[in-house]
Amino acid sequence: MSAPSPRSRRARPAKAALSREAIVDAGLAILRKEGIDALSMRRVAQALDTGPASLYVYVANRDELHTLLFDAAIGTIAVEQTDPKRWREQLHGLVTRMTQMMSEEYPGIAILGMATIPTGDNALRVTESMMSLLRAGGASDQAIAYAADLLSMYATAIAYEQSLHSTLFDDPDFEQSEIARVMQRFSAVPADAYPTMASVGALMTRGDGHERFALGLDIIINGLLSTPTEGRLSAQAWGETLRR
């Protein structure tokens, strides 16, 4: 019996052409399915059936990959044309979509938004919409400028907290059990040691996650609209903040 002839290379399915876009798509797929902890140059190369060295032709290093991935993920956030009559509703929707993208669609990606200040085209598109909505609401130029940072930090922090819960705790009822634990603790604090906390303890856990998120967002927006902001921060102070 004759030995089987070797399989021709031409009979094998051709690999997709390697490109920056292909690398970003592969990275986003890994984030969606496996989370941020699984993301590495080696893992992306494996998904593309190539070696890590091949990626460096298109992406300088892991930091650049992170920057590209985060901006591509931001590109999935829908942006509406500003309607002055609905500016607050639209702003709530935009920040909510930002948070959901980072906590649900790409688990753990919020940490990439914390590491650097996003300045890609998609980040600028979302920030422009955010600023336009605040201008429609009557915010001052300085308040609008501060808002780009404050609202993004709020969305990123909430998303990061949510992704941590899903990563660290497998119990689907964790949130409810945690709330119950905190409520029990606050309701039992001695009034002589913690008089203020004892008087408002029952109020500290009111509202579900969506209600508390919306309340926090309104507090930030209302503060931006009513707090004098002109000249509050110097360029030097801002630089020192970034270096911390």
Side-chain angles (χ1 to χ4, degrees):
M1 184 175 181
S2 61
S5 58
R7 184 181 178 188
S8 169
R9 288 179 178 269
R10 294 183 180 180
R12 300 175 188 174
K15 292 193 295 185
L18 197 58
S19 65
R20 177 175 284 209
E21 291 73 18
I23 292 170
V24 169
D25 288 344
L28 290 178
I30 292 168
L31 280 170
R32 280 194 300 269
K33 297 176 182 177
E34 304 172 36
I36 190 69
D37 290 340
L39 184 66
S40 67
M41 297 292 277
R42 184 176 297 277
R43 178 68 187 89
V44 173
Q46 181 185 32
L48 293 169
D49 191 21
T50 189
S54 300
L55 303 187
Y56 292 101
V57 176
Y58 305 92
V59 179
N61 50 42
R62 187 183 64 173
D63 291 340
E64 184 180 16
L65 175 63
H66 287 173
T67 298
L68 293 171
L69 288 175
F70 193 75
D71 197 60
I74 293 175
T76 66
I77 300 171
V79 172
E80 298 178 315
Q81 184 175 355
T82 297
D83 180 353
K85 295 180 180 179
R86 298 176 50 245
W87 73 270
R88 187 181 288 265
E89 174 190 338
Q90 287 182 305
L91 186 55
H92 267 259
L94 178 60
V95 180
T96 298
R97 290 192 295 276
M98 289 174 61
T99 307
Q100 290 174 337
M101 180 278 287
M102 292 185 282
S103 63
E104 300 174 12
E105 297 173 34
Y106 299 102
I109 200 173
I111 197 170
L112 302 185
M114 292 178 169
T116 59
I117 299 174
T119 56
D121 289 342
N122 290 317
L124 297 185
R125 177 178 60 87
V126 171
T127 302
E128 170 64 25
S129 178
M130 190 184 299
M131 290 178 159
S132 173
L133 291 166
L134 282 163
R135 173 159 284 168
S140 69
D141 285 355
Q142 186 62 75
I144 291 170
Y146 289 156
D149 185 48
L150 290 173
L151 293 175
S152 295
M153 283 198 300
Y154 181 65
T156 304
I158 295 294
Y160 186 58
E161 179 187 48
Q162 292 175 350
S163 63
L164 277 179
H165 285 174
S166 63
T167 301
L168 298 177
F169 304 101
D170 295 329
D171 183 3
D173 299 321
F174 167 78
E175 183 176 354
Q176 293 302 318
S177 61
E178 179 67 0
I179 291 174
R181 181 189 69 82
V182 173
M183 288 179 66
Q184 182 178 17
R185 172 61 172 157
F186 287 161
S187 64
V189 295
D192 56 340
Y194 310 102
T196 308
M197 187 177 293
S199 68
V200 302
L203 305 177
M204 293 176 69
T205 53
R206 287 184 64 180
D208 61 23
H210 297 293
E211 292 169 329
R212 294 173 73 91
F213 175 81
L215 174 63
L217 190 51
D218 269 331
I219 289 172
I220 295 173
I221 294 170
N222 292 340
L224 287 166
L225 293 174
S226 61
T227 304
T229 54
E230 298 300 327
R232 292 293 293 272
L233 294 180
S234 66
Q236 180 181 358
W238 174 241
E240 291 173 353
T241 299
L242 291 179
R243 285 192 291 272
R244 291 193 184 114

